[in-house]
Amino acid sequence: MDTGRSETGLAFEVTHRMVLSIAIPMTLGFITTPLLGLVGTGVVGHMGEPNALAGLAIGAMLFDLILGSFNFLRASTTGLTAQAYGRGDQHAQQAVFWRAIISAVGCGLALLCLSPLLLAAGLKLMAPDGAIAQATSTYFSIRILAGPAALANYAILGFVLGRGQGSIGLLLQTIINGINILLAIILGIWLDWGIAGVAWATTVGETVGALAGLFIVLRGFRRADRPARAELFDRHRLAELFALNRDILIRTFVLLGAFALMTRIGTGFGAVTLAANAVLMNFLMLSGFYLDGLANAAEQITGRAIGARYRPAFDRGLKLTVIWSFGLAGAISLFFLLAGPWLISVLTTSPEVRQVAGTYLPWAAITGLTGALAFLMDGVFIGATWSSDMRNRMLMSFVGYVAALAVFVPLYGNHGLWLAMNAFLLCRGIFLALRVRQRADQTFLAAQ
């Protein structure tokens, strides 16, 4: 709620209700994402063709890697929009949105043009057998058609989150995922299109979601605030956007590298332990989805406070999001400790894998707690657009992670591997938290 004006922007009060009004809708929206994979797997698994199921797994993994690399489109848009929103600058908000959309569609079209090379590289990397490769190619060739729409959805989601419109974000996620799930069942099972049906379902869902998002966002724009074309392509603004996106991209690649390194080292412990680790990694990922809503709240409130140049809102927002993050992290860790054995039995039927996964379950269960500060601080630094600090501390944490692997894995085996991962998560959060106060002092002092 607006309470007046700061020196240059709108002052506002940060409350528990504000934090949860952003966090809860987006948490609900993000939690539906893993459901898509389950439905797609179930549809293709219904065909009774292992090759199709393996092809779907490889194709989905390739898209997770490719599209995940462009998550900077959402993150940077959220931070820049939140700051313009905090200043009460409708003109700047429109400019941020259109730059994000232009960038997203441009990147999506580039993916379309490069799709034959990307598919060839993916098949070479994974080296699937002939029938599996064919299934992967079918899925990839259809789903890549939604590349521009999928990346546009990143930009649209970033914009509405930057304005604190979590309910609209949830609506758009529901449209995309709902259409995806419904069409996957209709096309994949009822019409017997199999893996092609699953791919078309995703393509249609992303496209309809993008069109709905554009309609909702553009309906709220005023013609008087429309930026000129020259302004959208201003060299200085584009250079700032490029630097921000570059830093977030580096951070993302290092994070993916940490997970890949864990998998690579895990292969040395044998197939059963590797499979158990893969099962347990779902708990880490689910914890991340569960806590991402609060990271989104931190992004919006932090960016808005900096745009408004109103330090009390920044400090209050940081305090409340920390409280809620650790509270929810403790709840999710306790849930996995108690329900973990049952969840493991759902995810795998192998007695050996179940037994080994149960041994290492506590390490996976506590990743919500050890990673809570890291997830939240990512949101704070993205909202504040302190991207270079986030990048540098991710690199510092990765160096510490590699050192922990070198020390703990030879001593404790797979226990050491999980210990190193938890240490990596802790280091990320602590390194960023140690920087946040000084960085905030510099930012708000410069704004005076």
Side-chain angles (χ1 to χ4, degrees), residues 353-374:
V353 174
R354 287 179 177 178
Q355 180 180 0
V356 173
T359 300
Y360 302 106
L361 171 62
W363 290 113
I366 64 171
T367 53
L369 277 173
T370 57
L373 190 59

Side-chain angles (χ1 to χ4, degrees), residues 39-40 42-44 46 178-202 204:
V39 171
V43 168
V44 176
H46 185 78
I179 291 175
N180 194 336
I181 291 171
L182 181 62
L183 284 183
I185 295 171
I186 294 174
L187 299 178
I189 296 179
W190 290 1
L191 298 183
D192 200 26
W193 288 13
I195 194 171
V198 173
W200 278 115
T202 303
V204 173

Side-chain angles (χ1 to χ4, degrees), residues 11-24:
F12 62 101
E13 180 184 359
V14 179
T15 64
H16 290 282
R17 182 175 181 179
M18 173 187 283
V19 170
L20 296 179
S21 70
I22 302 171
I24 291 176

Side-chain angles (χ1 to χ4, degrees), residues 7 11 20 55 68 71 78 91 121 124 132 166 177 180 183 203 218 260 263 296 299-300 330 366 395 426:
E7 293 184 8
L20 296 179
N71 190 53
T78 298
H91 180 81
K124 185 174 182 180
I132 298 176
N177 295 342
N180 194 336
L183 284 183
T203 300
L218 296 182
T263 301
N296 291 149
E299 289 176 27
Q300 200 278 335
I366 64 171
L395 292 171
L426 276 173

